[in-house]
């Protein structure tokens, strides 16, 4: 199979003329600049003489048009017959006749307007028409400076690149919308980082992730052009997105409002799905919110161990906890309000946006509860079941049960006594027994038998999620050049509901009760 390129990004977005020289090659990046008069800048990836492909997503590569590599021992082994692919993801050659592109966008970070941000270390190298006949953009993250690099160096470390690669594939296999990971490249060029933001700077191995999505368009794109009063660029970007991603909205009476409504609904659905798997994004700034409602920009994220709605994996967000688990829905709505401000100049009146935002407030608690109702193997939509969930979550917090393990265990539980833990107080046990009885009553009300419940719940409650302490082990070993644990973790994450998979490394085991939390900052 041959590659089919999609050149429309170059034709339809405005490229900053200052970013190319007279022969069409990207200018060297000498300084950071404000880009309010174009959508994108042409950029050149850094050449890394020592770079090495360390992981390649064989299935995704085939989906994008690569011929499969039957000899690859692992689904993410770096073996490939496609020198094209290696050349593209290492930045050795351009994907097509055009240079890579870094995009202009802005955003609100931790509730504050941050002005221009942009792709400071990401660049889109091209787009391919895949087996589903849709177009997918390929983006390198960590391939060097761009005009948006601000104070950063444009590079990324191996640990954060592994974390992005693993989690994005994990969410994909859990059925949660996400950007995907195609390849991981070790650059051979060390990067200096203050990992814990404590003034201690150390050299770490550098890496590049090649990630894939129909489009890396963020809420912050619209915020930027609206804030600059660049209405023509705002409109052409919105029209580009309508045509490519929201053809139904393009036909509506008020296309931009229809776009907003669709994005609002999909964003709430996405975040509800996060809640259902205990995923905390950690940095829900508006520049990290995808217009396509995919999970994007994996940084200090985490899958909850013990259920704690106040938890955030991001130590840079403690003690405030703006992005803690419990807040993710409200934050999504706040971010949607910023997107509304970004789209406002195209519509000129606020009432339609306000209506959608009021609708979002109203439906969020139900959407969130319904995800858990499904996890219990019950049909969605009834208030009694939503109430059952709320009391369960209150109890889970007190009982400090492991989020993933608890739902997996009750999927096949017959007798509530069998789950009781030694350290539970008598009152916790009483509440648990009473809750179970209510649950069984609701199951009986719907005519859900134990067999139905078990069958359904074992497809809705994962056995395997990439917990932060697992990732620590994988990263440590990979840093020493050994990718064994990485491949084994990827193996189980590709089939997260499977009860039969062997688990020699204990990926399904909850974190020991007294083990310390993994400390994660935004340093990456
Ligand atoms: P993030 O928190 O990773 O989503 O990044 C927020 C903003 O900072 C984005 O505009 C990034 O492009 C930029 N950024 C983060 N790390 C770097 C880096 N090492 N070099 C340049 N820009 C960066
Ligand atoms: Mg980001």
């Amino acid at each position: 199979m041959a590659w089919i390129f999609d050149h429309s990004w170059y034709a339809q977005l405005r490229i900053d003329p200052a970013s190319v020289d007279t022969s069409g090659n990207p200018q060297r990046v000498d300084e950071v600049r404000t880009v309010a008069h174009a959508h994108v800048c042409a950029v050149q990836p850094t050449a890394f003489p020592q770079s090495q492909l360390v992981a390649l997503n064989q299935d995704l590569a085939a989906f994008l048009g690569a011929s499969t590599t039957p000899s690859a021992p692992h689904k993410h082994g770096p073996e490939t017959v496609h020198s094209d692919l290696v050349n593209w993801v290492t930045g050795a050659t351009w994907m097509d006749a055009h240079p890579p592109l870094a995009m202009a966008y802005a955003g609100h970070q931790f509730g504050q307007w941050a002005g221009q941000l942009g792709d400071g270390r990401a660049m889109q190298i091209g787009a391919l028409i895949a087996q589903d006949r849709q177009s997918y953009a390929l983006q390198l993250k960590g391939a060097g400076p761009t005009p948006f690099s601000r104070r950063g160096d444009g590079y990324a470390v191996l640990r954060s690149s592994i974390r992005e690669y693993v989690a994005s594939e994990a969410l994909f296999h859990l059925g949660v919308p996400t950007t995907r990971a195609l390849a991981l490249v070790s650059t051979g060029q060390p990067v200096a980082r203050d990992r814990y933001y404590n003034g201690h700077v150390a050299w770490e191995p550098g890496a590049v992730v090649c990630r894939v999505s129909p489009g890396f368009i963020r809420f912050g794109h619209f915020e930027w052009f609206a804030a600059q009063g660049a209405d023509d660029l705002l409109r052409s970007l919105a029209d580009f997105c309508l045509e490519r991603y929201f053809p139904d909205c393009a036909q509506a009476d008020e296309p931009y409002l229809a776009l907003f409504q669709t994005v609002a609904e999909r964003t709430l659905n996405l975040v509800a799905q996060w809640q259902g798997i205990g995923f905390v994004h950690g940095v829900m700034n508006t520049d990290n919110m995808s217009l396509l409602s995919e999970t994007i920009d994996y940084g200090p994220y985490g899958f909850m161990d013990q259920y704690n709605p106040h938890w955030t994996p991001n130590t840079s967000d403690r003690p405030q906890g703006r992005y803690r688990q419990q807040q993710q829905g409200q934050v999504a709505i706040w971010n949607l309000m910023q997107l509304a401000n970004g789209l406002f100049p195209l519509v000129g009146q606020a009432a339609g946006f306000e209506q959608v935002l009021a609708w979002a407030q109203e439906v969020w608690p139900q959407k969130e509860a319904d995800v858990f109702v499904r996890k219990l193997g019950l049909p969605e939509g009834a208030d009694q079941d939503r109430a059952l969930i709320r009391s369960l979550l209150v109890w889970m917090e007190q009982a400090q049960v492991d989020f993933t393990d608890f739902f997996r265990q009750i999927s096949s539980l017959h007798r509530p006594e069998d789950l009781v833990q030694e350290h539970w107080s008598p009152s916790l046990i009483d509440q648990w027994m009473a809750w179970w009885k209510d649950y069984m009553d609701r199951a009986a009300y719907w005519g859900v038998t134990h067999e139905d419940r078990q069958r359904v719940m074992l497809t809705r409650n994962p056995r395997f999620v990439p917990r932060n302490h697992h990732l620590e082990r994988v990263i440590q070993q990979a840093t020493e050049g050994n990718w064994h644990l990485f491949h084994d973790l990827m193996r189980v994450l590709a089939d997260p509901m499977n009860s039969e998979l062997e688990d020699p490394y204990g990926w399904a085991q909850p974190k020991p009760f007294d083990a310390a939390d993994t400390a994660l900052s935004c340093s990456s």
Side-chain angles (χ1 to χ4, degrees), residues 193 211 225 285 328 459 500 505:
R193 287 290 182 272
R211 54 186 185 179
F225 296 112
N285 293 334
Q328 296 195 107
T459 65
E500 310 292 316
Y505 298 105

Side-chain angles (χ1 to χ4, degrees), residues 33-229:
R33 60 173 187 277
T34 303
V35 180
H37 48 277
H39 296 117
V40 290
C41 291
V43 287
Q44 176 64 42
T46 299
F48 301 108
Q50 312 284 330
S51 75
Q52 206 188 338
L53 186 69
V54 286
L56 177 70
N57 190 335
Q58 301 283 338
D59 288 348
L60 182 57
F63 176 71
L64 292 171
S67 34
T68 45
T69 315
S71 60
H74 301 290
K75 281 209 178 292
H76 296 271
E79 300 74 15
T80 177
V81 291
H82 273 274
S83 53
D84 287 353
L85 212 49
V86 181
N87 288 334
W88 299 341
V89 300
T90 57
T93 58
W94 292 353
M95 255 180 83
D96 57 18
H98 306 272
L101 300 174
M103 294 183 162
Y105 58 82
H108 279 81
Q109 298 184 312
F110 294 90
Q112 306 292 323
W113 173 244
Q116 175 177 287
L117 295 168
D119 286 331
R121 55 168 167 179
M123 54 187 75
Q124 183 166 316
I125 55 173
L128 293 168
I129 306 296
Q131 280 176 358
D132 65 354
R133 295 176 190 273
Q134 304 293 314
S135 170
Y136 290 84
L138 275 63
Q139 194 186 60
L140 303 185
K141 181 172 175 180
T146 76
F148 305 102
S149 292
R150 298 184 298 148
R151 288 173 301 279
D153 53 13
Y155 301 116
V157 293
L158 181 66
R159 72 179 144 79
S160 68
S161 307
I162 290 176
R163 285 174 52 83
E164 169 141 5
Y165 191 107
V166 173
S168 59
E169 285 307 294
L171 260 65
F172 171 76
H173 290 292
L174 288 165
V176 180
T178 176
T179 61
R180 296 196 63 189
L182 175 64
L184 188 58
V185 173
S186 144
T187 62
Q189 177 183 297
V191 178
R193 287 290 182 272
D194 180 357
R195 180 167 177 182
Y196 300 109
Y197 291 159
N198 61 4
H200 180 76
V201 176
W203 292 99
E204 295 189 46
V208 171
V209 176
C210 177
R211 54 186 185 179
V212 176
S213 165
F216 297 92
I217 310 278
R218 300 139 190 282
F219 290 9
H221 275 88
F222 299 90
E223 292 179 83
W224 176 239
F225 296 112
Q228 296 301 305

Side-chain angles (χ1 to χ4, degrees), residues 442-486:
R442 291 302 298 168
Y445 169 85
W446 292 113
V448 174
T449 64
H450 174 72
E451 285 69 31
D452 295 342
R453 197 175 67 78
Q454 175 167 8
R455 185 176 40 76
V456 166
M457 284 179 74
L458 289 174
T459 65
R460 294 181 183 171
N461 293 287
R463 180 176 171 218
F464 300 109
V465 294
R467 298 163 186 262
N468 280 335
H469 70 288
H470 293 155
L471 288 157
E472 289 286 289
R473 288 166 67 195
V474 167
I475 290 163
Q476 197 187 346
Q477 203 189 50
T479 305
E480 293 159 6
N482 181 345
W483 291 80
H484 180 78
L485 285 177
F486 169 83

Side-chain angles (χ1 to χ4, degrees), residues 294-312:
E294 292 183 328
T295 313
I296 190 173
D297 279 10
Y298 292 82
Y301 67 82
F303 284 81
M304 270 192 297
D305 294 298
Q306 283 162 34
Y307 175 65
N308 173 4
H310 309 288
W311 182 71
T312 172

